[in-house]
Amino acid sequence: MKITNANENKNNSIGPDIWLAGDPEDLKKWMDKGVKGIVTNTIVLKDMTDKYGSIIDLTKRYLDITEKKIAIEIDGHSTNELLDIGEAFTKLSDQIILKIPMSEHALGAFGELKKANVETFCTTIFTLNQAVLAANSGVTHVLPFCEPFLDVNKDSTELIREIKNTFEGWKNRPYITAALVRSVATAHKAILDGADGIIIFWPVFEEMIKSKLTDEWNKTFLDYWNDIYKSGNLEGLNYKP
């Protein structure tokens, strides 16, 4: 699977990427609804391995439901440990992306993984400095966290704007992929502020589809459609109200 940078993706795509998180059984129904792929984190992995067993078997479950990219979060105490653990996953499929928390060890791993043509996410980004260091190490995506800033009474997407402004004009810049987006409101802000993509749990995705006004107008249009059916003017179409 070819690795693209953010500028290449922008030229070839039609909008910010939407990545989903959650139980593989819950994600099945959403994978053909325009999402970019699946993203895990250690908390999700703990819950899912408690439910399904080994992390390798869990990864295979994700692979079984889609041909899209799957980001598996890994952790470790050294660069070599991260690379060894990461290799166990990348051997499973070229769909796998390695997601690693920001650290000195991670910075060392990103450069080696770039040489191996492995796509990477740097998570737990809370400062512009961290984003710049991760970018220069060769990471494919920087993941600024959003909603934890609300806990300290700060703007949830200010960091996205800072990173976007700093990376503006850099040809091979990484993706700015918003993480810890737990609500429709934060998703809206992240997209508006220029994120190349957002990571959300599937219930937020489902909620993003909806609008009270959309529901009202959809009902109006469906009522008229049913009237056309009742008049016999949908003959030849496979429709039943």
Side-chain angles (χ1 to χ4, degrees), residues 39-43 71-75 82 97-104 106-107 110 120-127 130-131 134-135 137 139-146 148 159 175 177-181 199:
V39 178
T40 65
N41 64 41
T42 307
I43 298 171
I72 299 295
E73 184 166 329
I74 63 172
D75 218 324
L82 289 170
I97 300 169
L98 295 179
K99 180 170 174 255
I100 308 175
M102 174 66 188
S103 70
E104 177 184 341
L107 295 178
F110 292 135
T120 51
F121 283 15
C122 183
T123 189
T124 61
I125 294 285
F126 282 98
T127 71
Q130 291 175 332
S137 73
V139 78
T140 320
H141 298 245
V142 294
L143 273 57
F145 275 29
C146 294
L159 182 56
Y175 293 82
T177 302
L180 251 68
V181 176
I199 301 168

mmCIF file of all heavy atoms in Angstrom, residues 39-43 71-75 82 97-104 106-107 110 120-127 130-131 134-135 137 139-146 148 159 175 177-181 199:
data_model
loop_
_atom_site.group_PDB
_atom_site.id
_atom_site.type_symbol
_atom_site.label_atom_id
_atom_site.label_comp_id
_atom_site.label_asym_id
_atom_site.label_seq_id
_atom_site.Cartn_x
_atom_site.Cartn_y
_atom_site.Cartn_z
ATOM 1 N N VAL A 39 -8.650 2.979 13.559
ATOM 2 C CA VAL A 39 -7.562 3.363 14.454
ATOM 3 C C VAL A 39 -7.848 2.793 15.841
ATOM 4 O O VAL A 39 -8.962 2.903 16.355
ATOM 5 C CB VAL A 39 -7.412 4.896 14.538
ATOM 6 C CG1 VAL A 39 -6.293 5.272 15.509
ATOM 7 C CG2 VAL A 39 -7.127 5.484 13.167
ATOM 8 N N THR A 40 -6.829 2.216 16.450
ATOM 9 C CA THR A 40 -6.952 1.705 17.816
ATOM 10 C C THR A 40 -6.124 2.567 18.759
ATOM 11 O O THR A 40 -5.276 3.350 18.335
ATOM 12 C CB THR A 40 -6.452 0.250 17.916
ATOM 13 O OG1 THR A 40 -5.053 0.208 17.651
ATOM 14 C CG2 THR A 40 -7.180 -0.648 16.929
ATOM 15 N N ASN A 41 -6.394 2.434 20.042
ATOM 16 C CA ASN A 41 -5.476 2.949 21.057
ATOM 17 C C ASN A 41 -5.342 1.887 22.143
ATOM 18 O O ASN A 41 -6.054 0.879 22.138
ATOM 19 C CB ASN A 41 -5.919 4.311 21.610
ATOM 20 C CG ASN A 41 -7.248 4.252 22.340
ATOM 21 O OD1 ASN A 41 -7.530 3.324 23.095
ATOM 22 N ND2 ASN A 41 -8.088 5.263 22.123
ATOM 23 N N THR A 42 -4.431 2.104 23.073
ATOM 24 C CA THR A 42 -4.146 1.070 24.061
ATOM 25 C C THR A 42 -5.356 0.757 24.934
ATOM 26 O O THR A 42 -5.564 -0.397 25.335
ATOM 27 C CB THR A 42 -2.952 1.494 24.944
ATOM 28 O OG1 THR A 42 -1.857 1.840 24.090
ATOM 29 C CG2 THR A 42 -2.525 0.370 25.855
ATOM 30 N N ILE A 43 -6.162 1.777 25.221
ATOM 31 C CA ILE A 43 -7.365 1.546 26.043
ATOM 32 C C ILE A 43 -8.349 0.649 25.296
ATOM 33 O O ILE A 43 -8.882 -0.320 25.852
ATOM 34 C CB ILE A 43 -8.018 2.881 26.429
ATOM 35 C CG1 ILE A 43 -7.052 3.718 27.277
ATOM 36 C CG2 ILE A 43 -9.325 2.650 27.190
ATOM 37 C CD1 ILE A 43 -7.514 5.139 27.526
ATOM 38 N N ALA A 71 -4.734 1.172 11.947
ATOM 39 C CA ALA A 71 -3.653 1.661 12.802
ATOM 40 C C ALA A 71 -3.694 0.935 14.139
ATOM 41 O O ALA A 71 -4.677 1.031 14.876
ATOM 42 C CB ALA A 71 -3.779 3.173 13.009
ATOM 43 N N ILE A 72 -2.636 0.223 14.431
ATOM 44 C CA ILE A 72 -2.509 -0.497 15.691
ATOM 45 C C ILE A 72 -1.536 0.267 16.581
ATOM 46 O O ILE A 72 -0.388 0.511 16.197
ATOM 47 C CB ILE A 72 -1.992 -1.923 15.473
ATOM 48 C CG1 ILE A 72 -2.962 -2.733 14.595
ATOM 49 C CG2 ILE A 72 -1.776 -2.626 16.811
ATOM 50 C CD1 ILE A 72 -4.329 -2.975 15.217
ATOM 51 N N GLU A 73 -2.005 0.653 17.772
ATOM 52 C CA GLU A 73 -1.119 1.352 18.697
ATOM 53 C C GLU A 73 -0.230 0.347 19.415
ATOM 54 O O GLU A 73 -0.713 -0.666 19.931
ATOM 55 C CB GLU A 73 -1.912 2.167 19.719
ATOM 56 C CG GLU A 73 -0.999 2.979 20.631
ATOM 57 C CD GLU A 73 -1.737 4.041 21.423
ATOM 58 O OE1 GLU A 73 -2.753 4.576 20.931
ATOM 59 O OE2 GLU A 73 -1.284 4.337 22.552
ATOM 60 N N ILE A 74 1.071 0.658 19.423
ATOM 61 C CA ILE A 74 2.030 -0.182 20.132
ATOM 62 C C ILE A 74 2.772 0.670 21.153
ATOM 63 O O ILE A 74 2.703 1.897 21.118
ATOM 64 C CB ILE A 74 3.032 -0.855 19.172
ATOM 65 C CG1 ILE A 74 3.885 0.197 18.447
ATOM 66 C CG2 ILE A 74 2.290 -1.732 18.166
ATOM 67 C CD1 ILE A 74 5.018 -0.399 17.626
ATOM 68 N N ASP A 75 3.478 0.016 22.056
ATOM 69 C CA ASP A 75 4.256 0.750 23.056
ATOM 70 C C ASP A 75 5.490 -0.060 23.405
ATOM 71 O O ASP A 75 5.598 -1.243 23.056
ATOM 72 C CB ASP A 75 3.407 1.037 24.299
ATOM 73 C CG ASP A 75 3.698 2.419 24.883
ATOM 74 O OD1 ASP A 75 4.874 2.836 24.827
ATOM 75 O OD2 ASP A 75 2.767 3.066 25.387
ATOM 76 N N LEU A 82 10.247 -1.086 20.174
ATOM 77 C CA LEU A 82 9.137 -0.629 19.324
ATOM 78 C C LEU A 82 9.236 -1.222 17.919
ATOM 79 O O LEU A 82 8.232 -1.652 17.347
ATOM 80 C CB LEU A 82 9.134 0.900 19.243
ATOM 81 C CG LEU A 82 8.712 1.650 20.504
ATOM 82 C CD1 LEU A 82 8.989 3.149 20.346
ATOM 83 C CD2 LEU A 82 7.234 1.430 20.812
ATOM 84 N N ILE A 97 -0.871 0.195 9.904
ATOM 85 C CA ILE A 97 -0.156 1.411 10.273
ATOM 86 C C ILE A 97 0.264 1.245 11.727
ATOM 87 O O ILE A 97 -0.488 0.707 12.534
ATOM 88 C CB ILE A 97 -1.071 2.643 10.146
ATOM 89 C CG1 ILE A 97 -1.577 2.808 8.709
ATOM 90 C CG2 ILE A 97 -0.369 3.917 10.610
ATOM 91 C CD1 ILE A 97 -2.684 3.851 8.576
ATOM 92 N N LEU A 98 1.461 1.713 12.062
ATOM 93 C CA LEU A 98 1.907 1.663 13.453
ATOM 94 C C LEU A 98 1.685 3.010 14.121
ATOM 95 O O LEU A 98 2.129 4.049 13.621
ATOM 96 C CB LEU A 98 3.382 1.273 13.522
ATOM 97 C CG LEU A 98 3.701 -0.142 13.035
ATOM 98 C CD1 LEU A 98 5.195 -0.404 13.133
ATOM 99 C CD2 LEU A 98 2.917 -1.195 13.808
ATOM 100 N N LYS A 99 0.986 2.986 15.238
ATOM 101 C CA LYS A 99 0.648 4.187 16.006
ATOM 102 C C LYS A 99 1.438 4.141 17.311
ATOM 103 O O LYS A 99 1.318 3.189 18.083
ATOM 104 C CB LYS A 99 -0.858 4.201 16.269
ATOM 105 C CG LYS A 99 -1.393 5.378 17.052
ATOM 106 C CD LYS A 99 -2.937 5.345 16.987
ATOM 107 C CE LYS A 99 -3.570 6.400 17.857
ATOM 108 N NZ LYS A 99 -4.142 5.816 19.084
ATOM 109 N N ILE A 100 2.269 5.164 17.536
ATOM 110 C CA ILE A 100 3.197 5.134 18.666
ATOM 111 C C ILE A 100 3.085 6.440 19.449
ATOM 112 O O ILE A 100 3.098 7.520 18.854
ATOM 113 C CB ILE A 100 4.647 4.953 18.182
ATOM 114 C CG1 ILE A 100 4.757 3.747 17.236
ATOM 115 C CG2 ILE A 100 5.588 4.798 19.361
ATOM 116 C CD1 ILE A 100 6.134 3.576 16.618
ATOM 117 N N PRO A 101 2.979 6.372 20.785
ATOM 118 C CA PRO A 101 2.943 7.586 21.593
ATOM 119 C C PRO A 101 4.255 8.375 21.479
ATOM 120 O O PRO A 101 5.338 7.806 21.346
ATOM 121 C CB PRO A 101 2.746 7.061 23.028
ATOM 122 C CG PRO A 101 2.133 5.706 22.849
ATOM 123 C CD PRO A 101 2.749 5.159 21.599
ATOM 124 N N MET A 102 4.121 9.700 21.547
ATOM 125 C CA MET A 102 5.268 10.595 21.444
ATOM 126 C C MET A 102 6.280 10.330 22.557
ATOM 127 O O MET A 102 5.932 10.296 23.745
ATOM 128 C CB MET A 102 4.784 12.041 21.535
ATOM 129 C CG MET A 102 5.870 13.088 21.594
ATOM 130 S SD MET A 102 6.809 13.141 20.061
ATOM 131 C CE MET A 102 8.132 14.262 20.521
ATOM 132 N N SER A 103 7.536 10.094 22.168
ATOM 133 C CA SER A 103 8.620 9.895 23.144
ATOM 134 C C SER A 103 9.936 9.941 22.391
ATOM 135 O O SER A 103 9.979 9.899 21.150
ATOM 136 C CB SER A 103 8.484 8.541 23.858
ATOM 137 O OG SER A 103 8.772 7.481 22.965
ATOM 138 N N GLU A 104 11.023 9.971 23.140
ATOM 139 C CA GLU A 104 12.349 9.897 22.523
ATOM 140 C C GLU A 104 12.494 8.602 21.730
ATOM 141 O O GLU A 104 13.035 8.596 20.613
ATOM 142 C CB GLU A 104 13.416 9.968 23.620
ATOM 143 C CG GLU A 104 14.838 9.818 23.123
ATOM 144 C CD GLU A 104 15.851 9.788 24.260
ATOM 145 O OE1 GLU A 104 15.510 10.227 25.382
ATOM 146 O OE2 GLU A 104 16.978 9.323 24.027
ATOM 147 N N ALA A 106 10.117 6.839 20.355
ATOM 148 C CA ALA A 106 9.277 6.892 19.159
ATOM 149 C C ALA A 106 9.966 7.659 18.040
ATOM 150 O O ALA A 106 9.918 7.252 16.868
ATOM 151 C CB ALA A 106 7.938 7.540 19.494
ATOM 152 N N LEU A 107 10.614 8.766 18.373
ATOM 153 C CA LEU A 107 11.294 9.563 17.358
ATOM 154 C C LEU A 107 12.355 8.735 16.636
ATOM 155 O O LEU A 107 12.525 8.852 15.420
ATOM 156 C CB LEU A 107 11.916 10.811 17.986
ATOM 157 C CG LEU A 107 10.940 11.837 18.577
ATOM 158 C CD1 LEU A 107 11.710 13.002 19.198
ATOM 159 C CD2 LEU A 107 9.967 12.351 17.520
ATOM 160 N N PHE A 110 10.448 6.226 14.192
ATOM 161 C CA PHE A 110 9.782 6.757 12.999
ATOM 162 C C PHE A 110 10.726 6.825 11.803
ATOM 163 O O PHE A 110 10.325 6.545 10.670
ATOM 164 C CB PHE A 110 9.183 8.134 13.283
ATOM 165 C CG PHE A 110 8.026 8.118 14.244
ATOM 166 C CD1 PHE A 110 7.941 9.049 15.265
ATOM 167 C CD2 PHE A 110 7.022 7.172 14.129
ATOM 168 C CE1 PHE A 110 6.882 9.033 16.159
ATOM 169 C CE2 PHE A 110 5.952 7.140 15.010
ATOM 170 C CZ PHE A 110 5.896 8.078 16.032
ATOM 171 N N THR A 120 3.047 5.623 9.629
ATOM 172 C CA THR A 120 3.081 5.771 11.083
ATOM 173 C C THR A 120 2.224 6.928 11.569
ATOM 174 O O THR A 120 2.048 7.928 10.870
ATOM 175 C CB THR A 120 4.526 5.996 11.572
ATOM 176 O OG1 THR A 120 5.122 7.060 10.810
ATOM 177 C CG2 THR A 120 5.361 4.745 11.446
ATOM 178 N N PHE A 121 1.701 6.759 12.782
ATOM 179 C CA PHE A 121 0.992 7.807 13.514
ATOM 180 C C PHE A 121 1.809 8.122 14.766
ATOM 181 O O PHE A 121 2.232 7.203 15.474
ATOM 182 C CB PHE A 121 -0.383 7.321 13.991
ATOM 183 C CG PHE A 121 -1.471 7.263 12.958
ATOM 184 C CD1 PHE A 121 -1.203 7.324 11.614
ATOM 185 C CD2 PHE A 121 -2.790 7.121 13.364
ATOM 186 C CE1 PHE A 121 -2.226 7.259 10.684
ATOM 187 C CE2 PHE A 121 -3.823 7.048 12.451
ATOM 188 C CZ PHE A 121 -3.539 7.119 11.101
ATOM 189 N N CYS A 122 1.988 9.401 15.074
ATOM 190 C CA CYS A 122 2.545 9.797 16.365
ATOM 191 C C CYS A 122 1.417 10.370 17.200
ATOM 192 O O CYS A 122 0.874 11.440 16.898
ATOM 193 C CB CYS A 122 3.660 10.830 16.206
ATOM 194 S SG CYS A 122 4.438 11.270 17.783
ATOM 195 N N THR A 123 1.058 9.654 18.249
ATOM 196 C CA THR A 123 -0.061 10.054 19.086
ATOM 197 C C THR A 123 0.437 10.781 20.340
ATOM 198 O O THR A 123 1.626 10.998 20.508
ATOM 199 C CB THR A 123 -0.930 8.820 19.434
ATOM 200 O OG1 THR A 123 -2.125 9.249 20.075
ATOM 201 C CG2 THR A 123 -0.180 7.839 20.298
ATOM 202 N N THR A 124 -0.472 11.176 21.192
ATOM 203 C CA THR A 124 -0.220 11.970 22.411
ATOM 204 C C THR A 124 0.565 13.245 22.107
ATOM 205 O O THR A 124 1.466 13.631 22.850
ATOM 206 C CB THR A 124 0.474 11.152 23.536
ATOM 207 O OG1 THR A 124 1.752 10.682 23.097
ATOM 208 C CG2 THR A 124 -0.396 9.993 23.989
ATOM 209 N N ILE A 125 0.192 13.920 21.021
ATOM 210 C CA ILE A 125 0.794 15.217 20.688
ATOM 211 C C ILE A 125 0.008 16.304 21.421
ATOM 212 O O ILE A 125 -1.190 16.486 21.180
ATOM 213 C CB ILE A 125 0.755 15.473 19.168
ATOM 214 C CG1 ILE A 125 1.641 14.469 18.430
ATOM 215 C CG2 ILE A 125 1.148 16.906 18.835
ATOM 216 C CD1 ILE A 125 3.117 14.713 18.535
ATOM 217 N N PHE A 126 0.695 17.038 22.288
ATOM 218 C CA PHE A 126 0.052 18.103 23.054
ATOM 219 C C PHE A 126 0.714 19.466 22.868
ATOM 220 O O PHE A 126 0.236 20.456 23.434
ATOM 221 C CB PHE A 126 0.033 17.756 24.548
ATOM 222 C CG PHE A 126 -1.045 16.770 24.917
ATOM 223 C CD1 PHE A 126 -0.757 15.421 25.051
ATOM 224 C CD2 PHE A 126 -2.354 17.189 25.122
ATOM 225 C CE1 PHE A 126 -1.750 14.514 25.390
ATOM 226 C CE2 PHE A 126 -3.352 16.290 25.465
ATOM 227 C CZ PHE A 126 -3.049 14.943 25.596
ATOM 228 N N THR A 127 1.805 19.517 22.092
ATOM 229 C CA THR A 127 2.467 20.799 21.863
ATOM 230 C C THR A 127 2.912 20.904 20.412
ATOM 231 O O THR A 127 3.136 19.889 19.726
ATOM 232 C CB THR A 127 3.705 20.984 22.763
ATOM 233 O OG1 THR A 127 4.754 20.106 22.310
ATOM 234 C CG2 THR A 127 3.385 20.720 24.229
ATOM 235 N N GLN A 130 6.319 19.241 19.914
ATOM 236 C CA GLN A 130 6.260 17.791 19.699
ATOM 237 C C GLN A 130 5.895 17.472 18.249
ATOM 238 O O GLN A 130 6.463 16.553 17.643
ATOM 239 C CB GLN A 130 5.239 17.164 20.648
ATOM 240 C CG GLN A 130 5.655 17.177 22.105
ATOM 241 C CD GLN A 130 4.547 16.664 23.017
ATOM 242 O OE1 GLN A 130 3.360 16.774 22.701
ATOM 243 N NE2 GLN A 130 4.936 16.091 24.145
ATOM 244 N N ALA A 131 4.952 18.210 17.695
ATOM 245 C CA ALA A 131 4.528 17.967 16.312
ATOM 246 C C ALA A 131 5.679 18.192 15.341
ATOM 247 O O ALA A 131 5.871 17.421 14.390
ATOM 248 C CB ALA A 131 3.351 18.878 15.965
ATOM 249 N N ALA A 134 8.232 15.322 15.684
ATOM 250 C CA ALA A 134 7.715 14.108 15.058
ATOM 251 C C ALA A 134 7.778 14.211 13.536
ATOM 252 O O ALA A 134 8.147 13.254 12.846
ATOM 253 C CB ALA A 134 6.282 13.846 15.521
ATOM 254 N N ALA A 135 7.428 15.378 13.009
ATOM 255 C CA ALA A 135 7.469 15.581 11.560
ATOM 256 C C ALA A 135 8.886 15.395 11.030
ATOM 257 O O ALA A 135 9.115 14.721 10.014
ATOM 258 C CB ALA A 135 6.948 16.976 11.226
ATOM 259 N N SER A 137 11.199 13.676 12.300
ATOM 260 C CA SER A 137 11.677 12.302 12.480
ATOM 261 C C SER A 137 11.197 11.388 11.363
ATOM 262 O O SER A 137 11.677 10.261 11.228
ATOM 263 C CB SER A 137 11.205 11.753 13.824
ATOM 264 O OG SER A 137 9.814 11.458 13.788
ATOM 265 N N VAL A 139 7.627 10.846 10.658
ATOM 266 C CA VAL A 139 6.300 10.276 10.878
ATOM 267 C C VAL A 139 5.347 10.688 9.751
ATOM 268 O O VAL A 139 5.502 11.755 9.139
ATOM 269 C CB VAL A 139 5.741 10.719 12.248
ATOM 270 C CG1 VAL A 139 5.211 12.146 12.216
ATOM 271 C CG2 VAL A 139 4.675 9.757 12.740
ATOM 272 N N THR A 140 4.365 9.849 9.483
ATOM 273 C CA THR A 140 3.399 10.136 8.418
ATOM 274 C C THR A 140 2.250 11.009 8.911
ATOM 275 O O THR A 140 1.753 11.861 8.166
ATOM 276 C CB THR A 140 2.812 8.823 7.855
ATOM 277 O OG1 THR A 140 3.839 7.836 7.755
ATOM 278 C CG2 THR A 140 2.193 9.063 6.485
ATOM 279 N N HIS A 141 1.795 10.792 10.153
ATOM 280 C CA HIS A 141 0.688 11.550 10.736
ATOM 281 C C HIS A 141 1.096 12.055 12.118
ATOM 282 O O HIS A 141 1.627 11.282 12.916
ATOM 283 C CB HIS A 141 -0.563 10.679 10.957
ATOM 284 C CG HIS A 141 -1.165 10.092 9.728
ATOM 285 N ND1 HIS A 141 -2.422 10.429 9.277
ATOM 286 C CD2 HIS A 141 -0.700 9.150 8.863
ATOM 287 C CE1 HIS A 141 -2.705 9.723 8.193
ATOM 288 N NE2 HIS A 141 -1.670 8.942 7.917
ATOM 289 N N VAL A 142 0.833 13.321 12.392
ATOM 290 C CA VAL A 142 0.889 13.803 13.780
ATOM 291 C C VAL A 142 -0.543 13.877 14.291
ATOM 292 O O VAL A 142 -1.447 14.300 13.576
ATOM 293 C CB VAL A 142 1.592 15.172 13.903
ATOM 294 C CG1 VAL A 142 3.058 15.046 13.539
ATOM 295 C CG2 VAL A 142 0.923 16.243 13.067
ATOM 296 N N LEU A 143 -0.743 13.437 15.545
ATOM 297 C CA LEU A 143 -2.087 13.324 16.115
ATOM 298 C C LEU A 143 -2.246 14.271 17.302
ATOM 299 O O LEU A 143 -2.057 13.876 18.461
ATOM 300 C CB LEU A 143 -2.365 11.885 16.557
ATOM 301 C CG LEU A 143 -2.922 10.913 15.503
ATOM 302 C CD1 LEU A 143 -2.023 10.814 14.292
ATOM 303 C CD2 LEU A 143 -3.166 9.537 16.100
ATOM 304 N N PRO A 144 -2.584 15.538 17.043
ATOM 305 C CA PRO A 144 -2.862 16.442 18.169
ATOM 306 C C PRO A 144 -4.130 16.013 18.895
ATOM 307 O O PRO A 144 -5.166 15.774 18.274
ATOM 308 C CB PRO A 144 -3.037 17.805 17.486
ATOM 309 C CG PRO A 144 -3.429 17.488 16.075
ATOM 310 C CD PRO A 144 -2.751 16.203 15.737
ATOM 311 N N PHE A 145 -4.042 15.898 20.223
ATOM 312 C CA PHE A 145 -5.208 15.576 21.022
ATOM 313 C C PHE A 145 -6.084 16.817 21.158
ATOM 314 O O PHE A 145 -5.578 17.939 21.208
ATOM 315 C CB PHE A 145 -4.785 15.072 22.401
ATOM 316 C CG PHE A 145 -4.472 13.599 22.437
ATOM 317 C CD1 PHE A 145 -3.993 12.938 21.320
ATOM 318 C CD2 PHE A 145 -4.654 12.873 23.605
ATOM 319 C CE1 PHE A 145 -3.704 11.582 21.352
ATOM 320 C CE2 PHE A 145 -4.371 11.506 23.652
ATOM 321 C CZ PHE A 145 -3.896 10.862 22.527
ATOM 322 N N CYS A 146 -7.384 16.594 21.244
ATOM 323 C CA CYS A 146 -8.336 17.716 21.271
ATOM 324 C C CYS A 146 -9.051 17.854 22.613
ATOM 325 O O CYS A 146 -8.853 18.828 23.329
ATOM 326 C CB CYS A 146 -9.359 17.561 20.146
ATOM 327 S SG CYS A 146 -8.641 17.709 18.487
ATOM 328 N N PRO A 148 -8.902 16.615 25.674
ATOM 329 C CA PRO A 148 -8.249 16.837 26.973
ATOM 330 C C PRO A 148 -8.002 18.314 27.283
ATOM 331 O O PRO A 148 -7.944 18.692 28.459
ATOM 332 C CB PRO A 148 -6.934 16.072 26.836
ATOM 333 C CG PRO A 148 -7.258 14.966 25.891
ATOM 334 C CD PRO A 148 -8.186 15.593 24.894
ATOM 335 N N LEU A 159 -4.378 23.784 19.012
ATOM 336 C CA LEU A 159 -3.144 23.142 18.584
ATOM 337 C C LEU A 159 -3.202 22.747 17.111
ATOM 338 O O LEU A 159 -2.188 22.824 16.410
ATOM 339 C CB LEU A 159 -2.856 21.920 19.464
ATOM 340 C CG LEU A 159 -1.568 21.151 19.165
ATOM 341 C CD1 LEU A 159 -0.349 22.067 19.228
ATOM 342 C CD2 LEU A 159 -1.421 19.973 20.129
ATOM 343 N N TYR A 175 0.451 14.419 7.745
ATOM 344 C CA TYR A 175 -0.965 14.678 7.987
ATOM 345 C C TYR A 175 -1.139 15.258 9.389
ATOM 346 O O TYR A 175 -0.416 14.888 10.315
ATOM 347 C CB TYR A 175 -1.775 13.387 7.931
ATOM 348 C CG TYR A 175 -1.883 12.696 6.608
ATOM 349 C CD1 TYR A 175 -0.858 11.866 6.156
ATOM 350 C CD2 TYR A 175 -3.028 12.815 5.823
ATOM 351 C CE1 TYR A 175 -0.963 11.198 4.947
ATOM 352 C CE2 TYR A 175 -3.146 12.143 4.617
ATOM 353 C CZ TYR A 175 -2.106 11.340 4.187
ATOM 354 O OH TYR A 175 -2.214 10.665 3.002
ATOM 355 N N THR A 177 -3.827 14.830 11.914
ATOM 356 C CA THR A 177 -4.996 13.986 12.143
ATOM 357 C C THR A 177 -5.449 14.145 13.584
ATOM 358 O O THR A 177 -4.746 13.749 14.514
ATOM 359 C CB THR A 177 -4.655 12.512 11.826
ATOM 360 O OG1 THR A 177 -4.207 12.415 10.469
ATOM 361 C CG2 THR A 177 -5.872 11.623 12.018
ATOM 362 N N ALA A 178 -6.604 14.760 13.768
ATOM 363 C CA ALA A 178 -7.102 15.101 15.104
ATOM 364 C C ALA A 178 -7.501 13.847 15.874
ATOM 365 O O ALA A 178 -8.246 13.003 15.369
ATOM 366 C CB ALA A 178 -8.287 16.047 14.998
ATOM 367 N N ALA A 179 -7.017 13.759 17.110
ATOM 368 C CA ALA A 179 -7.285 12.587 17.953
ATOM 369 C C ALA A 179 -8.041 12.991 19.215
ATOM 370 O O ALA A 179 -8.104 14.170 19.564
ATOM 371 C CB ALA A 179 -5.976 11.901 18.324
ATOM 372 N N LEU A 180 -8.582 11.991 19.898
ATOM 373 C CA LEU A 180 -9.446 12.204 21.048
ATOM 374 C C LEU A 180 -10.542 13.228 20.721
ATOM 375 O O LEU A 180 -10.751 14.214 21.416
ATOM 376 C CB LEU A 180 -8.645 12.614 22.292
ATOM 377 C CG LEU A 180 -8.607 11.483 23.351
ATOM 378 C CD1 LEU A 180 -7.792 10.312 22.860
ATOM 379 C CD2 LEU A 180 -8.098 11.981 24.673
ATOM 380 N N VAL A 181 -11.223 12.947 19.640
ATOM 381 C CA VAL A 181 -12.384 13.728 19.210
ATOM 382 C C VAL A 181 -13.609 12.937 19.644
ATOM 383 O O VAL A 181 -13.969 11.942 19.032
ATOM 384 C CB VAL A 181 -12.371 13.941 17.682
ATOM 385 C CG1 VAL A 181 -13.629 14.663 17.227
ATOM 386 C CG2 VAL A 181 -11.118 14.700 17.259
ATOM 387 N N ILE A 199 -10.131 11.277 14.051
ATOM 388 C CA ILE A 199 -10.343 9.921 14.559
ATOM 389 C C ILE A 199 -11.495 9.968 15.546
ATOM 390 O O ILE A 199 -11.448 10.718 16.526
ATOM 391 C CB ILE A 199 -9.073 9.401 15.257
ATOM 392 C CG1 ILE A 199 -7.886 9.386 14.293
ATOM 393 C CG2 ILE A 199 -9.317 7.993 15.821
ATOM 394 C CD1 ILE A 199 -6.551 9.167 14.979
#
